Amino acid sequence: GGAIAGSWGVLNHLGSSGFTEVARNLGAMIDKYVEGIESIEGLFMIARPDATIINFSSHDVDIYSVAERLREDGWVPGLTKSPRGLHAMMSMFHDPAREEYLADLATAVEQVRGDNNGSSSRLEAVY
């Protein structure tokens, strides 16, 4: 009940125009994340996001090894099991970190590409 009451309160506070503006800004931010991820060689979106969840993978590097590198940099990567990938449920709180995240992601991919001699991560996804 608390989540519903909170949502009702926010929607009443924002109004239709405010909610539309927030949704537009969130969609634009997601598009920038997708563009940045797809610009990193070897990464691809598992599906184009219709909302605020992104999910991406790679055919040429072990994506879980990339997740381990991101974790070493202080990020908290979410894993998907089938297909193997990284995912995140995005909010506008992610906007200020976008450039840093994408730079760290690109670095992690290059590090894994450079030193992944057939080995793979021991991480396991739950779902």
Side-chain angles (χ1 to χ4, degrees):
I4 293 170
S7 297
W8 179 85
V10 168
L11 287 173
N12 279 289
H13 174 73
L14 292 174
S16 294
S17 63
F19 179 81
T20 301
E21 181 181 347
V22 169
R24 187 177 304 112
N25 292 341
L26 189 54
M29 183 203 68
I30 297 295
D31 289 345
K32 289 176 186 174
Y33 264 95
V34 169
E35 181 182 316
I37 290 165
E38 291 181 329
S39 73
I40 299 170
E41 184 182 343
L43 297 186
F44 65 92
M45 300 305 296
I46 291 172
R48 302 295 300 177
D50 290 327
T52 60
I53 297 175
I54 60 172
N55 190 207
F56 59 95
S57 190
S58 176
H59 291 302
D60 62 348
V61 297
D62 179 41
I63 199 70
Y64 290 0
S65 293
V66 172
E68 288 178 330
R69 298 293 178 129
L70 289 172
R71 186 176 288 161
E72 291 170 6
D73 289 335
W75 300 102
V76 182
L79 304 176
T80 55
K81 188 173 191 173
S82 182
R84 288 170 58 98
L86 298 182
H87 79 101
M89 186 182 322
M90 310 297 285
S91 74
M92 289 308 294
F93 289 112
H94 293 95
D95 196 34
R98 180 173 38 88
E99 293 300 324
E100 183 181 0
Y101 175 78
L102 292 172
D104 287 351
L105 177 61
T107 299
V109 168
E110 286 307 311
Q111 289 172 338
V112 170
R113 183 175 284 122
D115 64 17
N116 190 4
N117 300 322
S119 63
S120 63
S121 169
R122 294 178 190 232
L123 290 179
E124 293 185 27
V126 175
Y127 60 90

